C-alpha cells in the first residue's frame, strides 16, 4: 500500500495548512494499555479530523530505562501497528518514529543548556521513575522532559493531547519557551497548550487503584493491554481490586477501584457514570465486572484482528514510517534552522 496522489499533494502543502497543529507521542515500552487508549489515543483519533496531527513513537525516550535492543526494535513496529489498529490514519496524520528525525536530539541539547536543574528537580515522573529504577538513575531520565519539549516545539504544535500525568511536562515545556525567548527573543516557537480529556485522563491500576495504570508495570495484572486475548482481559477485569461494599456508586475517594472500572465502562460505552449507577441499582460489583469485561473484549476484538494483520505486513509498516519521517522532517528542519540562526551556531554551508 502506498499513499494516494491526493495525499502526496497534501504533503506538499503541509506547511501551508491553516489548521492548528496537534502533536503527541507515546514511549515505546510494553504494549499500549487501556489507560493509554482512553487517556490519550482515543482523543487523538477524534482530533485527527479537524487538525493537522503528528503522532510519533518516542523510542529515544524509551532508552531512559534499560531496554533489550532486539525487543525495542520489534516493539517499535508493534507500536506502529497498535497505533494503526486503534484507528489512527496515516493519510490523515503524520506518523513517525522519533529517532528518524535527528532534529529532536539537536534541539533537545540547545534547550537542555537553557533549562535550570531546579525545574527538572520538581518533576514527579523523574522522582517516581528513579524510585522504580534505583540501579539506573541516568541523566536521560532526568532530562527526559527537555527532549519532550523539543519534540513539541520542533513542530510548532498548538495543542498536545496527553493524560493527566504529562501535564507537568507540558508546563515545563512552556517555561522552556520563556527561557529561550528571554535569551534569544521571540519568533522560533509557538507556546503549546496541553489538552487533557475530561473523562479517563487517569486510568488507575487494576490491582492497586491508588497508582496509575502503566504499560511498563512489572505486574501484568495491573493493566489490560490493547492486544491481550479475550481470556486474559476477562481474568484481569474480574480480579480487579474493589472495596468490600456492595452499592454501585461512583465515588473515586472512597471506592477508587470501582470508580476506575466505572470510568472505563463510561468512556467505552458512552454512558455517564450516573447512568451506570442507575443501570446497576440492586446489582453486585460482580455483575458490573462481567459486563465490563464483555465490553472491553468486544471493543478490542477488531483492534487485535487489525493488529495481527498489520504485523504480517512489515513492508507496509516501513512505508508508513518512511512517509511519516519525510513529512515530519520538513517541518522540523524549518524550526531548527531558525533556532541555529538566533543562537549563533554556524549552519553547515551546504545546508543553508
Ligand atoms: P510507561 O509505563 O512506560 O511510563 P505509560 O503507560 O505511562 O508508560 P506513556 O507512554 O508514558 O504511557 O504515555 C502515553 C500517553 O498515554 C500519554 O499521553 C499519557 O499521559 C497517557 N497515559 C498513560 N497512562 C495513562 C493512564 N493510566 N490513564 C490515562 N492516560 C494515560
Ligand atoms: N513523555 C510522554 C511521551 C512523549 C510525548 C512527547 C507526549 C514524548 N514526547 C511529546 C507528548 C508530546 C509520555 O506520555 N510519557
Amino acid at each position: 500500500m502506498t499513499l494516494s496522489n491526493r495525499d502526496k499533494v497534501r504533503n506538499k502543502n503541509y506547511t501551508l495548512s491553516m489548521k492548528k497543529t496537534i502533536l503527541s507521542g507515546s514511549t515505546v515500552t510494553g504494549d499500549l494499555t487501556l489507560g493509554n487508549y482512553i487517556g490519550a489515543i482515543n482523543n487523538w483519533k477524534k482530533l485527527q479530523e479537524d487538525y493537522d496531527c503528528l503522532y510519533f513513537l518516542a523510542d529515544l525516550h524509551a532508552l531512559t530505562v534499560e531496554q533489550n535492543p532486539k525487543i525495542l526494535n520489534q516493539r517499535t513496529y508493534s507500536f506502529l501497528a497498535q497505533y494503526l489498529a486503534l484507528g489512527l490514519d496515516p493519510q490523515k496524520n503524520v506518523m513517525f518514529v522519533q529517532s528518524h528525525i535527528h532534529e529532536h536530539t539537536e534541539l533537545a541539547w540547545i534547550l537542555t543548556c537553557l533549562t535550570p536543574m531546579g525545574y527538572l528537580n520538581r518533576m514527579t515522573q523523574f522522582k517516581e521513575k528513579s524510585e522504580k529504577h534505583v540501579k539506573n538513575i541516568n541523566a536521560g531520565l532526568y532530562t527526559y522532559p527537555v527532549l519532550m519539549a523539543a519534540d513539541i516545539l520542533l513542530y510548532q504544535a498548538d495543542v498536545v493531547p496527553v493524560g493527566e500525568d504529562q501535564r507537568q511536562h507540558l508546563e515545563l515545556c512552556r517555561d522552556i519557551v520563556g527561557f529561550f525567548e528571554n535569551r534569544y527573543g521571540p519568533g522560533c516557537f509557538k507556546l503549546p497548550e496541553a489538552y487533557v480529556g475530561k473523562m479517563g485522563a487517569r486510568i488507575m491500576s487494576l490491582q492497586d487503584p491508588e497508582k496509575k495504570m502503566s504499560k511498563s508495570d512489572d505486574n501484568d495484572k495491573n493493566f489490560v493491554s490493547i492486544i491481550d486475548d479475550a481470556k486474559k482481559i476477562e481474568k484481569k477485569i474480574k480480579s480487579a481490586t474493589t472495596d468490600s461494599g456492595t452499592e454501585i456508586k461512583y465515588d473515586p475517594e472512597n471506592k477508587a477501584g470501582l470508580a476506575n472500572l466505572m470510568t472505563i465502562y463510561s468512556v467505552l460505552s458512552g454512558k455517564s457514570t450516573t447512568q451506570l449507577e442507575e443501570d446497576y441499582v440492586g446489582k453486585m460489583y460482580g455483575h458490573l465486572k462481567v459486563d465490563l469485561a464483555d465490553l472491553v473484549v468486544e471493543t478490542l476484538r477488531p483492534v487485535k484482528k487489525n493488529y495481527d494483520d498489520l504485523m504480517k505486513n512489515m513492508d507496509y509498516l516501513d512505508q508508513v514510517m518512511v512517509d511519516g519521517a519525510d513529512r515530519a522532517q520538513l517541518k522540523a528542519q524549518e524550526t531548527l534552522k531558525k533556532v541555529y540562526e538566533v543562537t549563533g551556531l554556524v549552519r553547515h554551508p551546504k545546508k543553508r
Side-chain angles (χ1 to χ4, degrees):
M1 259 179 272
T2 53
L3 291 180
S4 67
N5 284 338
R6 181 189 61 81
D7 212 57
K8 284 186 183 143
V9 173
R10 184 181 178 278
N11 297 357
K12 253 195 180 164
N13 292 336
Y14 176 63
T15 49
L16 301 175
S17 169
M18 299 304 285
K19 287 183 182 171
K20 284 200 167 185
T21 300
I22 297 263
L23 173 134
S24 201
S26 184
T27 322
V28 183
T29 44
D31 287 315
L32 292 171
T33 65
L34 268 186
N36 302 129
Y37 175 55
I38 292 173
I41 296 165
N42 199 25
N43 294 324
W44 302 359
K45 243 168 64 178
K46 292 180 196 150
L47 297 163
Q48 69 184 357
E49 303 302 332
D50 299 317
Y51 295 86
D52 279 327
C53 301
L54 298 110
Y55 295 127
F56 71 99
L57 308 174
D59 57 344
L60 295 171
H61 276 107
L63 294 177
T64 55
V65 296
E66 196 179 331
Q67 299 293 335
N68 172 320
K70 215 171 153 194
I71 294 177
L72 177 63
N73 192 288
Q74 288 163 352
R75 189 172 275 149
T76 306
Y77 282 95
S78 167
F79 256 57
L80 182 58
Q82 291 177 48
Y83 273 19
L84 297 167
L86 284 170
L88 294 179
D89 182 343
Q91 309 245 340
K92 289 186 184 147
N93 308 301
V94 180
M95 294 167 70
F96 65 98
V97 179
Q98 185 185 32
S99 64
H100 290 177
I101 314 291
H102 57 78
E103 285 80 359
H104 288 241
T105 40
E106 292 174 35
L107 180 59
W109 177 252
I110 294 169
L111 301 180
T112 303
C113 296
L114 292 165
T115 307
M117 287 174 64
Y119 279 67
L120 293 176
N121 289 341
R122 287 189 218 139
M123 295 296 117
T124 49
Q125 180 176 296
F126 172 69
K127 288 181 203 156
E128 281 163 17
K129 295 227 163 172
S130 42
E131 273 164 26
K132 190 170 164 201
H133 303 278
V134 263
K135 293 205 180 116
N136 184 18
I137 307 177
N138 61 74
L141 199 57
Y142 187 62
T143 57
Y144 176 118
V146 186
L147 177 59
M148 181 163 163
D151 298 337
I152 297 166
L153 300 176
L154 263 184
Y155 299 96
Q156 309 293 339
D158 296 284
V159 183
V160 183
V162 283
E164 189 61 51
D165 62 311
Q166 296 298 315
R167 200 191 276 279
Q168 195 184 29
H169 289 164
L170 254 295
E171 267 154 31
L172 179 69
C173 175
R174 292 164 60 88
D175 289 335
I176 290 176
V177 173
F179 303 140
F180 187 93
E181 293 188 349
N182 275 344
R183 176 87 55 94
Y184 300 112
C188 282
F189 304 127
K190 266 196 190 154
L191 197 61
E193 302 268 350
Y195 169 96
V196 180
K198 280 196 196 88
M199 198 62 190
R202 197 170 166 84
I203 299 296
M204 309 312 280
S205 148
L206 295 177
Q207 295 295 318
D208 180 0
E210 298 303 319
K211 65 175 201 193
K212 80 160 193 147
M213 183 180 283
S214 175
K215 59 181 149 56
S216 58
D217 200 310
D218 296 331
N219 178 359
D220 94 324
K221 286 188 182 156
N222 280 332
F223 57 82
V224 169
S225 139
I226 61 143
I227 52 172
D228 273 347
D229 61 40
K231 263 204 181 135
K232 244 188 182 173
I233 296 175
E234 278 165 16
K235 214 168 159 193
K236 288 180 182 179
I237 292 191
K238 286 180 189 164
S239 66
T241 302
T242 40
D243 57 281
S244 57
T246 50
E247 192 194 2
I248 297 197
K249 197 169 174 325
Y250 183 74
D251 180 357
E253 272 195 10
N254 301 308
K255 292 170 175 270
L258 179 68
N260 190 39
L261 297 180
M262 289 176 81
T263 303
I264 298 172
Y265 201 145
S266 167
V267 176
L268 297 186
S269 66
K271 290 185 182 179
S272 67
T273 48
T274 322
Q275 177 68 50
L276 291 175
E277 285 174 352
E278 285 168 21
D279 291 353
Y280 284 91
V281 170
K283 294 190 181 159
M284 315 281 280
Y285 290 180
H287 291 121
L288 182 130
K289 283 185 175 176
V290 169
D291 294 347
L292 176 60
D294 282 350
L295 177 63
V296 174
V297 167
E298 287 318 312
T299 307
L300 295 180
R301 194 187 299 283
V303 174
K304 172 86 167 97
K305 162 90 180 63
N306 282 345
Y307 170 78
D308 289 340
D309 291 345
L310 283 158
M311 286 303 282
K312 288 181 201 135
N313 197 345
M314 287 294 153
D315 288 347
Y316 174 63
L317 296 178
D318 274 338
Q319 173 80 50
V320 172
M321 280 184 190
V322 170
D323 289 332
D326 286 350
R327 294 162 74 187
Q329 195 149 37
L330 288 179
K331 187 91 182 177
Q333 277 170 345
E334 221 177 278
T335 301
L336 197 67
K337 190 166 176 251
K338 274 196 235 162
V339 170
Y340 270 48
E341 272 163 23
V342 302
T343 47
L345 294 167
V346 174
R347 197 84 191 142
H348 186 296
K350 284 191 181 160
K351 291 185 189 159
R352 279 176 203 157

